[in-house]
Amino acid sequence: MISATVTSVPRIGPNRELKKALEGYWNDSTSARELATTATRLHNQYTDALVAAGCDSFPTLGRSYYDQILDLCSIFDVLPERVQNIPSHPNDGLPADIDRYFATARGTAEVAASAMTKWFDTNYHYIVPELSRDTVFKVGYEYLADIREQGVRNPGLRPVLIGPVTFLALSKSIDGSDLFDLLPELTQAYARLISRLARTEGVDYVQLDEPILVTDFDRFNLVRETYTTLAEHANLVVATYFGCANRAIEALSGTGVKGFIADLVTSPSELPAWTGEEFLLAGVVDGRNVWRTDLHQALKLLRSLAARGPVGVSTSCSLLHVPYSLENEQLDEHLRSRLAFGAEKIAEVATLAQALKEGTDLPALETATDATATRSTLGRNRTPLERRRQAQEDLGLPPLPTTTIGSFPQTPEIRRARAQLVRGEITADAYDARMLAEIEDVIARQEALGLDVLVHGEPERNDMVQYFSEQLEGYHATSNGWVQSYGSRCVRPPILFGDVSRPAPMTVRWYEAAQKLTDKPVKGMLTGPVTMLAWSFVRNDQPLAVTADQVAEALREEILDLEKAGARIIQVDEPAIRELLPLRKQDHAEYLEWAVGSFRLATAGVKDSTQIHTHMCYSSFNELIDTVIDLDADVTSIEAARNGMGVLAALKQSGFHLGVGPGVWDIHSPRVPSQQEVDDLVSAAVNNVDPALLWINPDCGLKTRKWPEVEASLKVLVTAARNARAALV
Ligand code: GLN
Ligand code: ZN
């Protein structure tokens, strides 16, 4: 039995040490030995911290260099065929397949990277395994050697692996076969692996994570069979998170599994299926948000569960999703008293476990905020589309107007200027002057290219959410709150802690500066309410719907100020609207009601003559076309080129009647598309969507690209629009 632990551990390091080592290794400035040592040291430090706090079981990923799903592909030797020619690494501390592993994650000049996608409804991204009916799973020994080393050092080690059901459910079938046909063979491979782990010194339990079991996934008979087999080979703990564990517990009880980890934060269920035969690690400390736990409440829940069977304490999910520690964060004391990052959460787990064991009491959370706000009563409807269309005719746009999504390259000079400003090496005025010069350049280049609707290029924005969070009341932008997003990439989600409001205009002067330089319309550019929430840590003392409305009202004021300043077109980006979609269908309608409602609240205050745009990306929107229609934006740009314009059929089928710009240039790679390619994509669009509704634009913003490829590609895009216009008449 385990009494205190966390569900799983982050690997990037409190000061992003692994990020730096990885990037150094990739650009040849860090040796293999140093990279391996860094990973081991970070791992050991984390275990030491868990030991010191009083935990009695220590999750380990082994040495994990990029992503846990990719780790499994390495362990079972199923990295894609196309990386197999890359030579093995000499024995210098890193796994022999490390260069194939990195090639799968990041691509090389010769081979394409595997797809990367969001891990459930979080902002972490995993590498999608590519499997087929011919896949053969072998068991790699280096991983085992790693665990052995760590186990000798630290008894109580608990290897954590993604379980076979979730692994297959998240993999891509490259030959269209049902990957669950592989389950019996994969189960055998897991059996071999975990029986070796079970025999490893220092290892008492092996944890298999099966978060897929909280979604609508329903092949529970397979789950039962698999775990009946696996439980013969090791003391297993099965973890679910991000949703209710009850169905998983129901399927797995009596299979021989020794214990469960259940997320009791996302879904505070009483787990009626839990009989007490297996032990329960109750995830009462939130692993993915930053608020302190109400220890008094949590202990009450733990005690009521403990009356039914053996109970220990854990976090609701891996601590991968929150920053390491409050220690290095500059905060006002009131906000600090409400927060718990990773280190503080570990302490909470230990405190709860001790109180549970000793029967002592814990104080209730006293920092309750006065959450009294309600949903906004401002209007959410614009006048009918026809009237708006007429009022917008004098924009004087050609058929198939061309535009971009907002950002232009964030050059090293722009980043340097921002770093200098943060360090106080240049004045705010000097910084502004640099940004204005950049805007001037961006406008001139767009004019030369012949684009129809221009943008100012967003040089002043470090990040599309952080930029606004720094200017809104109720938001704290952290200084060191890094969280791994994927591989070596980390983000610093701001903390939305209070009532949100806008003390002053946020973007108007940049818009004005750009519009002054051109006769073409310049788009005002904002981040929508849903995306502002999706990429922040959000207060949990009131419904998200209420918080979203507060952000929307602030944006509404900004939009009206942009309109007053002369903006005729205003874009409100919602790239993340798909990502907050609940994991279970039964919860979709409620989410979409407030998500769409907040967008409409933000945008409904404008005149008929003001054209509202929105932008979405990161995922196929086919299933969300009705949602896009509900947003009622005059024009929506959608990522489309990357998935071969898959969205067109859905647009056609839905009778889409609003303006739409399916992306015709995949901006995720530096490759400049050929004229033929873009012409073909534009033709496909023209053939599926009423040309009167069509816009021509790239898939997404251009901040990560370089100028030469941007100018060359946009030239192709503008020419494609001209070619298509000529064909229309
Ligand atoms: N306007 C933003 C940009 O161009 C949109 C980014 C996004 O969709 N993620 O960068
Ligand atoms: Zn985008």
Side-chain angles (χ1 to χ4, degrees):
M1 161 74 191
I2 295 168
S3 67
T5 190
V6 299
T7 299
S8 188
V9 292
R11 67 199 132 213
I12 206 75
N15 293 303
R16 294 179 295 157
E17 291 87 344
L18 186 62
K19 170 198 175 71
K20 288 162 200 164
L22 281 169
E23 290 173 354
Y25 177 74
W26 294 332
N27 68 29
D28 281 330
S29 63
T30 300
S31 71
R33 184 66 61 192
E34 268 173 88
L35 174 56
T37 316
T38 303
T40 307
R41 180 171 47 84
L42 290 172
H43 177 279
N44 291 344
Q45 273 174 6
Y46 211 89
T47 307
D48 292 347
L50 291 171
V51 174
C55 292
D56 59 354
S57 177
F58 315 106
T60 174
L61 305 171
R63 274 174 308 161
S64 178
Y65 290 95
Y66 200 99
D67 165 50
Q68 232 186 304
I69 295 267
L70 184 59
D71 291 344
L72 275 181
C73 293
S74 158
I75 293 170
F76 291 125
D77 196 17
V78 294
L79 293 172
E81 202 49 53
R82 63 180 178 283
V83 305
Q84 299 300 342
N85 291 334
I86 297 171
S88 288
H89 206 76
N91 183 10
D92 53 8
L94 292 179
D97 67 352
I98 193 81
D99 293 328
R100 295 192 286 277
Y101 173 97
F102 287 145
T104 307
R106 314 173 60 233
T108 66
E110 289 79 34
V111 302
S114 286
M116 183 169 77
T117 195
K118 297 233 173 206
W119 176 240
F120 295 87
D121 56 355
T122 73
N123 236 323
Y124 177 75
H125 304 68
Y126 66 93
I127 303 294
V128 182
E130 300 169 20
L131 310 179
S132 74
R133 71 166 62 80
D134 302 323
T135 299
V136 177
F137 302 99
K138 298 183 212 121
V139 177
Y141 293 95
E142 286 183 291
Y143 167 76
L144 290 165
D146 258 6
I147 298 288
R148 196 164 304 132
E149 251 171 58
Q150 294 169 8
V152 170
R153 184 179 169 275
N154 213 327
L157 211 59
R158 187 175 89 246
V160 176
L161 296 155
I162 303 300
V165 180
T166 298
F167 179 67
L168 287 183
L170 298 185
S171 294
K172 179 168 114 186
S173 168
I174 54 174
D175 61 353
S177 61
D178 179 358
L179 292 182
F180 277 88
D181 293 346
L182 298 172
L183 187 57
E185 216 225 309
L186 180 60
T187 303
Q188 288 314 314
Y190 268 86
R192 288 198 296 280
L193 177 67
I194 64 176
S195 60
R196 280 170 182 273
L197 285 173
R199 277 180 273 139
T200 302
E201 201 181 326
V203 170
D204 305 322
Y205 292 97
V206 177
Q207 176 178 325
L208 296 178
D209 287 7
E210 293 287 11
I212 198 73
L213 303 184
V214 309
T215 68
D216 287 329
F217 179 89
D218 60 3
R219 296 159 94 164
F220 281 100
N221 51 337
L222 294 181
V223 176
R224 231 187 129 70
E225 244 170 67
T226 301
Y227 277 87
T228 306
T229 305
L230 293 180
E232 289 171 12
H233 297 272
N235 292 331
L236 284 186
V237 177
V238 177
T240 55
Y241 32 82
F242 307 144
C244 181
N246 201 53
R247 290 190 318 155
I249 291 177
E250 191 172 28
L252 293 169
S253 350
T255 54
V257 160
K258 291 289 186 294
F260 302 116
I261 300 187
D263 176 344
L264 295 177
V265 173
T266 312
S267 174
S269 140
E270 279 146 30
L271 305 176
W274 179 54
T275 59
E277 190 184 329
E278 296 86 6
F279 67 79
L280 177 71
L281 291 172
V284 291
V285 171
D286 194 343
R288 58 183 294 193
N289 208 339
V290 293
W291 309 105
R292 267 178 60 188
T293 307
D294 185 335
L295 297 175
H296 180 71
Q297 283 300 333
L299 187 59
K300 249 173 52 187
L301 175 59
L302 289 168
R303 289 210 172 113
S304 80
L305 289 166
R308 290 165 51 198
V311 168
V313 187
S314 186
T315 51
S316 65
C317 62
S318 171
L319 289 177
L320 163 72
H321 306 287
V322 290
Y324 270 73
S325 156
L326 279 171
E327 202 183 340
N328 296 322
E329 195 56 43
Q330 276 130 46
L331 288 162
D332 79 61
E333 285 313 307
H334 178 64
L335 180 54
R336 181 184 297 275
S337 73
R338 291 176 57 197
L339 295 175
F341 287 180
E344 294 76 25
K345 287 175 191 294
I346 293 170
E348 288 181 339
V349 163
T351 305
L352 284 166
Q354 197 179 8
L356 184 62
K357 192 159 70 195
E358 292 172 0
T360 46
D361 232 338
L362 291 170
L365 197 62
E366 274 187 44
T367 52
T369 53
D370 37 8
T372 51
T374 52
R375 300 272 309 258
S376 171
T377 53
L378 296 176
R380 296 174 201 253
N381 294 326
R382 295 192 70 192
T383 46
L385 185 61
E386 264 325 303
R387 294 246 298 275
R388 278 143 53 191
R389 225 167 240 160
Q390 275 166 21
Q392 291 163 23
E393 244 156 41
D394 68 331
L395 278 166
L397 298 170
L400 309 177
T402 54
T403 191
T404 61
I405 307 304
S407 57
F408 272 94
Q410 284 271 331
T411 60
E413 296 74 48
I414 296 176
R415 291 180 201 281
R416 194 169 324 122
R418 187 150 34 249
Q420 288 172 329
L421 176 70
V422 171
R423 290 195 299 261
E425 292 165 14
I426 57 173
T427 63
D429 284 347
Y431 175 76
D432 283 7
R434 299 289 311 282
M435 296 302 121
L436 291 170
E438 187 64 30
I439 289 172
E440 203 169 317
D441 180 54
V442 167
I443 294 287
R445 293 196 201 228
Q446 292 175 90
E447 292 225 329
L449 283 160
L451 288 155
D452 300 308
V453 172
L454 311 192
V455 296
H456 79 285
E458 307 178 19
E460 78 288 6
R461 302 190 188 174
N462 39 13
D463 170 272
M464 66 188 287
V465 169
Q466 189 178 340
Y467 179 74
F468 291 98
S469 76
E470 284 168 0
Q471 302 185 68
L472 290 166
E473 295 287 334
Y475 250 120
H476 170 77
T478 76
S479 50
N480 198 46
W482 294 102
V483 177
Q484 187 180 20
S485 171
Y486 62 86
S488 67
R489 175 141 170 93
C490 298
V491 294
R492 255 182 319 173
I495 299 171
L496 193 168
F497 64 88
D499 288 334
V500 172
S501 61
R502 188 199 69 143
M506 304 182 282
T507 64
V508 176
R509 65 196 180 109
W510 304 111
Y511 159 75
E512 281 178 324
Q515 187 66 80
K516 239 184 23 221
L517 299 166
T518 176
D519 295 332
K520 300 243 172 103
V522 173
K523 286 194 271 193
M525 200 59 65
L526 302 168
T527 301
V530 182
T531 302
M532 288 298 296
L533 299 199
W535 295 347
S536 304
F537 292 117
V538 180
R539 63 189 290 184
N540 57 5
D541 59 345
Q542 66 183 19
L544 285 178
V546 172
T547 307
D549 272 8
Q550 290 185 355
V551 177
E553 282 198 9
L555 290 168
R556 185 174 171 124
E557 291 168 17
E558 182 73 11
I559 289 171
L560 294 180
D561 279 343
L562 281 167
E563 192 180 54
K564 245 185 260 154
R568 292 291 311 274
I569 305 183
I570 298 166
Q571 179 170 313
V572 180
D573 291 326
E574 283 292 20
I577 202 160
R578 164 77 183 68
E579 157 185 334
L580 282 195
L581 198 65
L583 296 175
R584 303 206 54 185
K585 278 224 168 58
Q586 62 192 29
D587 304 323
H588 286 192
E590 188 194 331
Y591 160 69
L592 289 171
E593 193 275 325
W594 69 255
V596 170
S598 68
F599 181 89
R600 294 176 63 124
L601 175 63
T603 53
V606 296
K607 296 188 248 178
D608 290 355
S609 55
T610 299
Q611 192 168 70
I612 296 290
H613 288 212
T614 187
H615 165 71
M616 298 177 182
C617 53
Y618 292 122
S619 136
S620 140
F621 272 86
N622 299 11
E623 41 168 345
L624 281 191
I625 293 289
D626 290 339
T627 301
V628 177
I629 294 173
D630 286 347
L631 294 177
D632 199 26
D634 298 298
V635 180
T636 304
S637 60
I638 306 183
E639 176 179 320
R642 186 151 61 154
N643 62 20
M645 290 264 157
V647 75
L648 291 178
L651 285 171
K652 187 172 181 176
Q653 214 189 350
S654 69
F656 201 78
H657 58 287
L658 296 145
V660 64
V664 295
W665 162 30
D666 172 7
I667 59 88
H668 299 89
S669 100
R671 201 175 65 85
V672 177
S674 73
Q675 190 64 53
Q676 189 64 49
E677 261 176 276
V678 179
D679 282 346
D680 287 349
L681 293 179
V682 172
S683 307
V686 170
N687 291 331
N688 282 278
V689 180
D690 176 0
L693 303 175
L694 260 189
W695 285 64
I696 307 297
N697 48 255
D699 264 355
C700 192
L702 306 173
K703 58 176 164 262
T704 57
R705 296 270 65 88
K706 299 209 160 63
W707 271 112
E709 65 220 41
V710 163
E711 289 206 293
S713 304
L714 286 178
K715 207 164 141 200
V716 172
L717 181 145
V718 170
T719 306
R722 289 187 181 143
N723 293 344
R725 277 173 208 155
L728 281 184
V729 287

